[in-house]
């Protein structure tokens, strides 16, 4: 028997194929989330001194996890990703890079630091006792730590990003 230009058998085959494809598409939405799902993460980044940072923030899938890295600018202490460029859910290594203010590491400051280091080394060389040398070296190391703290420009830490809301993640960084 024929109906129109198709036989009954052809219509039954087409109907069966349509039902099969419908079931496949319906079941395709079940199960785990897309492993490359990107999250619209946003938030604030500041130093413990309340200084708002400018620079960049990068989320890299933690060791043993595959997936793309995601980088965004930090402007006036704020960053934002969208669902197209955001990080993937799960454990991530977070890298924050701070843009130092223009002229923060000027040539004059570098020369001053070198001069202090040289003076401390000369003073330590002239010290008469081991205790005196140790005290001079400790003072120089404390001065170096202050200098390094003032001009620290990068931080790395881990964060487990949930695929569920909220997507806001604020960070306060120790200087």
């Amino acid at each position: 028997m024929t109906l129109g230009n198709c036989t009954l058998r052809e219509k039954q085959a087409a109907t069966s194929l349509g039902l099969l494809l419908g079931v496949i598409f319906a079941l395709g939405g079940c199960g785990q989330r897309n492993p490359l799902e990107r999250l619209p993460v946003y938030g604030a980044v500041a130093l413990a001194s309340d200084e708002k940072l400018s620079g960049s923030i990068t989320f890299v899938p933690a060791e043993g996890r595959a997936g793309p890295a995601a980088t965004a600018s930090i402007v006036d202490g704020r960053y934002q990703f969208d669902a197209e460029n955001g990080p993937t859910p799960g454990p991530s290594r977070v890298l924050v890079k701070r843009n130092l203010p223009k002229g923060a590491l000027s040539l004059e400051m570098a020369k001053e630091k070198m001069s202090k280091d040289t003076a401390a080394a000369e003073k330590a060389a002239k010290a008469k006792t081991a205790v005196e040398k140790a005290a001079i070296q400790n003072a120089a190391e404390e001065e170096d730590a202050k200098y390094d703290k003032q001009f620290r420009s990068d931080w790395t830490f881990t964060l487990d990003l949930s695929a569920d809301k909220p997507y806001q993640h604020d960070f306060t960084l120790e200087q």
Side-chain angles (χ1 to χ4, degrees):
M1 172 177 174
T2 60
L3 299 171
N5 292 335
C6 299
T7 66
L8 183 57
R9 175 173 268 168
E10 289 171 333
K11 283 193 175 196
Q12 287 174 335
T15 302
S16 296
L17 180 62
L19 287 173
L20 180 63
L21 288 174
V23 169
I24 289 171
F25 283 119
L27 293 176
C30 298
Q32 295 184 344
R33 294 177 183 246
N34 177 357
L36 292 180
E37 174 184 12
R38 309 289 290 253
L39 303 176
V41 175
Y42 63 95
V45 182
L47 293 177
S49 65
D50 289 334
E51 176 188 341
K52 293 178 182 176
L53 293 184
S54 289
S56 66
I57 185 166
T58 301
F59 291 81
V60 178
E63 199 169 313
R65 289 187 55 239
T71 300
S73 293
I74 302 170
V75 179
D76 294 328
R78 311 269 330 142
Y79 71 94
Q80 184 165 358
F81 294 94
D82 59 33
E84 299 290 318
N85 69 356
T88 57
S92 292
R93 199 174 46 155
V94 182
L95 303 118
V96 175
K97 297 281 185 186
R98 171 182 166 188
N99 293 339
L100 292 173
K102 190 173 183 176
L105 286 173
S106 67
L107 182 58
E108 292 78 26
M109 293 176 83
K111 286 180 182 177
E112 180 183 335
K113 176 146 178 17
M114 285 178 55
S115 175
K116 285 182 180 180
D117 289 348
T118 302
E122 289 172 355
K123 196 172 182 182
K126 293 178 184 175
K128 295 187 181 358
T129 67
V131 172
E132 193 178 353
K133 272 187 185 180
I136 293 167
Q137 287 174 338
N138 285 341
E141 287 172 9
E142 286 176 18
E143 186 68 29
D144 282 348
K146 285 183 204 173
Y147 183 85
D148 291 344
K149 197 177 207 183
Q150 181 180 0
F151 297 108
R152 183 171 181 185
S153 62
D154 61 293
W155 293 260
T156 302
F157 50 94
T158 57
L159 176 69
D160 193 358
L161 290 169
S162 172
D164 301 320
K165 290 182 180 178
Y167 298 125
Q168 181 172 358
H169 294 280
D170 297 335
F171 305 107
T172 301
L173 306 173
E174 294 297 321
Q175 193 167 4

